[in-house]
Amino acid sequence: EDQVTQSPEALRLQEGESSSLNCSYTVSGLRGLFWYRQDPGKGPEFLFTLYSAGEEKEKERLKATLTKKESFLHITAPKPEDSATYLCAVQAAYGGATNKLIFGTGTLLAVQP
Amino acid sequence: NAGVMQNPRHLVRRRGQEARLRCSPMKGHSHVYWYRQLPEEGLKFMVYLQKENIIDESGMPKERFSAEFPKEGPSILRIQQVVRGDSAAYFCASSRNTNTEAFFGQGTRLTVV
């Protein structure tokens, strides 16, 4: 069964304290891995798409990397405004036409000033 | 370019009533997805539609739930005879193509009393 596991469930950092979030996945053929940010009461906001092992994407203080079994979201020198829930999702390369995303339960990040 | 628009943002229904949730995709997007987010759980796929066609409804409950995406107008998620367990946040997403990222709306928070 296709599955996405994120760790840790919650993470508290001091402003400027770099860290990484983990997303482990089991999927029958990976079409793409997606990172989203979700603020309370809001919809998920797209951050990155990764398609193949070894690929990296960067945006401001965030950097996403991908291996054959997991992805990391590295946060460098975080600021309080980076506080949010970070969601990882995979899209499987099924034989059919479905594009559904399989989500993990997220990592709740709190950055203290 | 407006994002994915969902309405209403909040919906309260009594048990046994019908709930209708609307979603207008981003301009130029013809692929629409509905997800449900229960408290303390991750986003769960419900249904994937293209104009006038249901492509994948593997995540939809067999009874009381239906979805459509007509040639003209928004996509509609319809829940008949709502029960307390239907209370959740319902998110719509859209994408331009099958292999591109999906962008989410702000969600409709359904409360069944």
Side-chain angles (χ1 to χ4, degrees):
Chain A
E1 181 183 348
D2 298 333
Q3 196 168 0
V4 177
T5 303
Q6 291 188 247
S7 62
E9 290 186 9
L11 180 63
R12 183 171 296 191
L13 299 173
Q14 290 297 122
E15 185 172 2
E17 179 187 2
S18 301
S19 189
S20 296
L21 313 182
N22 178 261
C23 171
S24 299
Y25 62 90
T26 304
V27 66
S28 50
L30 180 70
R31 184 189 290 182
L33 185 140
F34 301 79
W35 282 98
Y36 287 86
R37 167 191 171 133
Q38 187 174 25
D39 292 296
K42 300 286 184 64
E45 174 189 344
F46 171 76
L47 293 174
F48 303 109
T49 309
L50 302 167
Y51 293 105
S52 57
E55 189 174 358
E56 299 182 353
K57 294 255 178 93
E58 281 189 74
K59 179 181 178 181
E60 296 181 353
R61 295 177 293 282
L62 300 177
K63 178 180 176 181
T65 62
L66 180 64
T67 72
K68 287 187 177 181
K69 293 186 177 181
E70 57 191 355
S71 176
F72 291 94
L73 185 65
H74 306 278
I75 303 176
T76 302
K79 298 182 178 182
E81 53 262 42
D82 294 322
S83 298
T85 296
Y86 289 85
L87 301 171
C88 172
V90 297
Q91 191 178 56
Y94 294 117
T98 186
N99 292 331
K100 69 181 181 184
L101 294 174
I102 302 163
F103 278 88
T105 52
T107 293
L108 176 60
L109 174 66
V111 181
Q112 308 283 357
Chain B
N1 185 13
V4 178
M5 303 300 292
Q6 290 189 249
N7 66 83
R9 291 293 310 276
H10 300 274
L11 182 61
V12 179
R13 285 287 178 266
R14 296 185 185 280
R15 281 178 294 172
Q17 290 185 320
E18 178 180 289
R20 281 187 177 234
L21 288 62
R22 295 174 183 76
C23 169
S24 296
M26 288 179 68
K27 186 177 180 180
H29 289 194
S30 60
H31 302 255
V32 167
Y33 318 83
W34 286 93
Y35 290 81
R36 178 165 63 176
Q37 189 171 41
L38 292 165
E40 307 305 320
E41 291 188 21
L43 283 154
K44 301 292 185 187
F45 168 80
M46 299 181 74
V47 62
Y48 161 41
L49 311 101
Q50 292 182 33
K51 281 290 187 180
E52 300 185 276
N53 290 302
I54 296 175
I55 307 302
D56 180 359
E57 56 181 347
S58 59
M60 286 273 274
K62 298 298 181 195
E63 299 179 351
R64 301 187 297 107
F65 285 73
S66 63
E68 62 177 10
F69 188 16
K71 186 177 180 180
E72 301 290 339
S75 175
I76 306 288
L77 179 66
R78 182 183 178 202
I79 311 173
Q80 296 178 289
Q81 299 176 336
V82 296
V83 301
R84 289 245 171 93
D86 296 333
S87 296
Y90 291 83
F91 290 97
C92 171
S94 72
S95 67
R96 185 180 298 277
N97 298 311
T98 56
N99 290 330
T100 56
E101 56 273 9
F103 293 89
F104 283 78
Q106 296 301 306
T108 293
R109 279 146 188 86
L110 172 66
T111 302
V112 179
V113 297

